[in-house]
Amino acid sequence: MFILLMGPPGAGKGTQADLLAEKCGVPHISTGDMFRAAVKAGTELGKEAKRYMDTGQLVPDAVTIGIIRESLSKKENQKGFILDGFPRTKEQAAALDGLLAELSVKLDAVIDIHVPGTELINRITGRRICKACGANYHALYNPPRADGICDKCGGVLYQRDDDRETTVKKRIEVYNEQTKPLIEYYSRHGQYTELDGTKGIKEVFAAILAILSSKKTHDNL
Ligand code: AP5
Ligand code: MG
Ligand code: ZN
């Protein structure tokens, strides 16, 4: 099962990728998560990425393509994956095509999650993340049982540095300019499906499972 989840910031890519990864036992590969891990570890990559992330800009293609190349070179990522947040530019899409061809892999589904701008801002500004395990919550839409504490591991919840309203607006602008044009690129791909992402988390997940089962991508569906 090789799946690409597309959509603007806050559309629910990470939330749905986590649910799918859990259900199907396939790795969730998120360039945003990889950059945040590098920032946390204080590596050179993290220092470089942080400069761009904090202002809502994209990290340069050469860097981003490099980390995806490294990730897809790992055996555990070659049996299937859910790709979230990559590609985001035409150069990245071309690089992904090349990497998939090298691995003799074809994408089984390209799912583009659509959510309007005002709702994206509500979702992102209410998002809270566990410092320890990375689990994703929303103050209103998906609250933890105890305020500020992760249900899964008891870790402390925090707000991403780039989730403040001015940076969010910039990220949406950058999405519209640089990433949205990829819809045309992927709509020519036989496996492209547009999905209404405005419903609740469970409904959107059910709709994704229905798409995947119509494509018979995995025995567990
Ligand atoms: P990245 O981490 O990928 O952020 P993003 O694309 O901006 O997307 P988000 O993670 O904000 O949103 P999401 O779609 O995952 O939504 P989520 O499920 O969390 O990238 C961050 C930065 O890293 C970039 O700005 C860039 O600098 C850099 N970067 C990353 N990849 C790059 C690349 N390829 N090239 C260059 N630079 C790159 O949901 C959001 C909230 O809504 C959560 O609180 C959730 O609980 C809630 N929610 C989710 N679904 C629903 C629902 N159906 N109903 C109600 N609430 C919901
Ligand atoms: Mg995400
Ligand atoms: Zn946790």
Side-chain angles (χ1 to χ4, degrees):
M1 171 164 117
F2 294 90
I3 293 169
L4 189 61
L5 288 185
M6 299 174 69
K13 304 179 296 295
T15 302
Q16 298 300 331
D18 279 343
L19 291 171
L20 265 179
E22 202 172 312
K23 183 166 176 77
C24 305
V26 174
H28 169 196
I29 302 177
S30 154
T31 39
D33 286 349
M34 289 193 268
F35 288 137
R36 277 183 291 280
V39 171
K40 195 171 164 194
T43 61
E44 283 308 311
L45 169 70
K47 283 179 201 153
E48 180 172 12
K50 189 169 169 44
R51 294 210 313 267
Y52 297 95
M53 294 168 86
D54 281 352
T55 52
Q57 303 284 348
L58 295 182
V59 177
D61 282 337
V63 176
T64 309
I65 291 166
I67 65 161
I68 280 291
R69 176 180 292 280
E70 196 185 317
S71 179
L72 298 191
S73 73
K74 293 179 184 156
K75 282 268 173 293
E76 67 263 30
N77 290 340
Q78 293 179 353
K79 293 190 199 104
F81 54 67
I82 302 148
L83 201 49
D84 151 18
F86 183 94
R88 269 164 135 109
T89 63
K90 288 186 178 160
E91 289 70 19
Q92 291 180 18
L96 180 62
D97 284 348
L99 287 169
L100 294 177
E102 277 170 37
L103 295 170
S104 305
V105 158
K106 284 200 163 50
L107 293 173
D108 297 303
V110 177
I111 300 178
D112 188 17
I113 308 177
H114 281 224
V115 174
T118 47
E119 178 59 11
L120 296 176
I121 293 176
N122 290 339
R123 286 189 184 182
I124 297 180
T125 51
R127 172 168 47 200
R128 299 293 180 269
I129 294 172
C130 174
K131 245 185 190 146
C133 76
N136 207 333
Y137 297 89
H138 190 282
L140 296 176
Y141 304 145
N142 181 27
R145 284 191 294 269
D147 218 17
I149 303 292
C150 177
D151 291 349
K152 292 185 181 150
C153 77
V156 176
L157 304 186
Y158 78 106
Q159 184 174 38
R160 263 167 55 176
D161 286 345
D162 61 344
D163 276 356
R164 290 168 226 290
E165 196 165 339
T166 45
T167 319
V168 171
K169 286 188 174 148
K170 183 69 199 170
R171 282 162 55 200
I172 293 173
E173 216 178 283
V174 167
Y175 168 81
N176 286 327
E177 281 164 13
Q178 300 189 52
T179 307
K180 214 172 174 186
L182 290 186
I183 293 180
E184 207 215 318
Y185 184 83
Y186 280 107
S187 59
R188 280 183 259 120
H189 192 288
Q191 304 301 338
Y192 177 86
T193 310
E194 210 179 282
L195 178 71
D196 173 11
T198 59
K199 309 254 167 59
I201 293 173
K202 285 188 184 144
E203 283 106 318
V204 174
F205 187 50
I208 291 179
L209 294 183
I211 293 169
L212 298 181
S213 88
S214 75
K215 296 181 191 295
K216 297 190 175 55
T217 51
H218 198 278
D219 295 342
N220 267 5
L221 296 171

